[in-house]
Amino acid sequence: MSSTCWLKGLFILLIILLPLCSSQVSSPFDSCSSPSASEARRGWQFLPCQPPSTNMKEFMQIRVDPPGITCGNPPERFCTLENPYLCSDECDASSPDLSHPPQLMGDRERGGLITYWQTVTWSRYPEPLLANITLSWNKSLEVVDDIIITFEYGRPTSMVLEKSMDKGVTWQPYQYYADDCLESFGMSPKQVSDLAPTNLTRVICTEKYSRWVGAKEEKNVVFEVRARFSVFAGPKLINMDALYTRMETMKGLRDFFTFSNLRLRLLRPALGGTYVQSDNLLKYFYAISNIDIPARCKCNLHASQCVMRDATLQCDCEHNTGGQDCQRCKGGFRSRSWKPGSYLPLPRGTANTCEAPVSRV
């Protein structure tokens, strides 16, 4: 092989590998132990640790309510908001090419083909067109970046994002979305940029993602996590130490970013910037092509890995802890009460390892 070809091959390899390398950002909490730096304590020191983040849509279970809200049974025609006379789309649950089942919200798009879940049309207007989408992991998670829901054919004019921290037993609002927050929810519209460090966990209603701007121009509805982090860590999230400190010292902050389930309550479909036109109800419906949920398993800073065991996500617990979330001490290591690991003191924090009772002779 000539030197020119060899260099060209090396250049191509670097182009392929560079994005992979640059995406792996080192974290000060990616290891549960390290060699002790103290000569007096030769061996290993325990460190607080957490699993890497990933897109949790790969592991979510999807349930859609009420029964019969998904289109296709019976087959139905659909129109577009931009052109009410263009009604060539069809949904048919019996045809693989024409069906739009719920799992298409979490699949990987291949070959540029967009796949999506779709509801029935608003044929029963003025009865509300309501749909609930419940996303479950059977595991406590911590969101680490923006949650993005991609709608085809228009974003809802009214919806709520809810979360559960107890595997769906109880629910609480995460954020309200409407083209008119005061009319829909009796709340004044706000944006995350309006929040201060003292009220960062406030549940708000935003109009940013609901007003009609065209179905093709704006598709995403976002739950802005990065903007909340930046209140403490700065616009580019450079000062993460400040965020870690607040996670430990601000009551309720870590719980705000924790969930085991999410639920989308779709309350009113896109209207195309007009009032409901009852003479053509075939153009009103919901359609979701993708849901991105960047998060990590919550392991209480006692594990650096999260694994799938018996079809369930489990923390691979260290520090002599056990349980799905490393939420208790193992038997034989209960000489003191269990505590989660701590980000403090910076830069390496405190492991709060469970310990065995000291034997007395």
Side-chain angles (χ1 to χ4, degrees):
M1 180 185 293
S2 68
S3 59
T4 302
C5 292
W6 183 85
L7 287 172
K8 183 181 292 185
L10 179 61
F11 179 70
I12 293 173
L13 182 63
L14 287 172
I15 290 176
I16 295 172
L17 291 179
L18 185 58
L20 298 176
C21 297
S22 62
S23 64
Q24 301 299 315
V25 180
S26 177
S27 165
F29 302 103
D30 58 5
S31 177
C32 297
S33 60
S34 71
S36 175
S38 171
E39 288 295 327
R41 292 181 57 196
R42 291 175 180 262
W44 291 82
Q45 62 176 336
F46 294 112
L47 304 169
C49 50
Q50 57 192 7
S53 59
T54 187
N55 193 337
M56 283 294 171
K57 80 172 186 178
E58 305 290 338
F59 305 99
M60 68 185 178
Q61 297 178 347
I62 305 172
R63 190 184 80 237
V64 172
D65 297 303
I69 193 66
T70 298
C71 68
N73 188 20
E76 190 175 6
R77 287 190 308 115
F78 293 84
C79 309
T80 64
L81 282 164
E82 290 89 350
N83 186 348
Y85 303 104
L86 182 61
C87 302
S88 57
D89 291 336
E90 184 179 359
C91 182
D92 185 347
S94 65
S95 170
D97 295 330
L98 298 176
S99 62
H100 297 281
Q103 60 262 34
L104 296 183
M105 287 184 270
D107 67 332
R108 294 184 179 182
E109 314 289 3
R110 292 180 173 87
L113 177 65
I114 296 176
T115 58
Y116 52 92
W117 164 77
Q118 186 172 335
T119 68
V120 297
T121 61
W122 204 357
S123 59
R124 296 185 178 181
Y125 175 83
E127 179 183 322
L129 182 62
L130 307 177
N132 288 343
I133 302 163
T134 304
L135 312 175
S136 304
W137 291 268
N138 195 32
K139 171 78 181 75
S140 295
L141 306 176
E142 295 175 313
V143 63
V144 299
D145 209 333
D146 294 348
I147 295 173
I148 302 175
I149 304 108
T150 304
F151 286 86
E152 304 296 326
Y153 302 100
R155 301 177 296 187
T157 57
S158 179
M159 62 170 274
V160 186
L161 175 64
E162 298 176 325
K163 76 165 186 174
S164 173
M165 295 177 63
D166 52 17
K167 300 181 180 179
V169 177
T170 60
W171 293 88
Q172 59 196 81
Y174 230 168
Q175 189 152 299
Y176 295 91
Y177 301 83
D179 62 342
D180 189 326
C181 286
L182 200 58
E183 179 183 344
S184 296
F185 302 111
M187 302 172 66
S188 298
K190 291 192 178 298
Q191 298 190 50
V192 176
S193 58
D194 297 325
L195 300 177
T198 54
N199 66 353
L200 194 64
T201 59
R202 179 178 178 180
V203 176
I204 64 172
C205 179
T206 179
E207 297 177 351
K208 183 177 179 180
Y209 302 102
S210 304
R211 290 180 172 168
W212 176 254
V213 290
K216 295 180 180 179
E217 285 73 18
E218 294 289 350
K219 295 184 175 184
N220 294 336
V221 172
V222 182
F223 179 66
E224 295 166 288
V225 173
R226 181 172 288 262
R228 283 180 168 85
F229 285 168
S230 69
V231 172
F232 300 125
K236 296 184 179 180
L237 303 185
I238 294 175
N239 188 12
M240 291 299 290
D241 283 357
L243 177 61
Y244 292 139
T245 300
R246 290 285 188 156
M247 287 288 191
E248 294 290 345
T249 59
M250 183 174 173
K251 184 179 179 180
L253 187 61
R254 287 178 76 170
D255 281 349
F256 181 79
F257 297 108
T258 299
F259 61 91
S260 61
N261 308 66
L262 294 174
R263 182 165 66 189
L264 291 172
R265 291 176 50 220
L266 308 180
L267 305 177
R268 193 172 176 86
L271 302 182
T274 65
Y275 295 104
V276 178
Q277 297 174 345
S278 56
D279 59 336
N280 186 4
L281 298 174
L282 300 182
K283 63 180 182 177
Y284 304 120
F285 53 90
Y286 306 105
I288 297 178
S289 59
N290 191 56
I291 303 177
D292 285 325
I293 304 174
R296 65 165 54 92
C297 288
K298 182 173 183 176
C299 300
N300 289 294
L301 293 178
H302 287 311
S304 61
Q305 297 295 326
C306 194
V307 296
M308 187 71 76
R309 293 191 186 126
D310 301 323
T312 303
L313 285 170
Q314 305 270 346
C315 295
D316 194 7
C317 301
E318 302 199 36
H319 303 159
N320 302 321
T321 63
Q324 189 181 21
D325 301 340
C326 307
Q327 75 277 17
R328 61 175 180 264
C329 290
K330 286 183 177 179
F333 294 92
R334 295 172 180 164
S335 64
R336 62 183 181 186
S337 299
W338 174 91
K339 290 177 63 177
S342 173
Y343 292 115
L344 301 178
L346 296 169
R348 280 304 339 216
T350 307
N352 292 326
T353 306
C354 292
E355 296 180 357
V358 177
S359 59
R360 297 181 180 179
V361 180

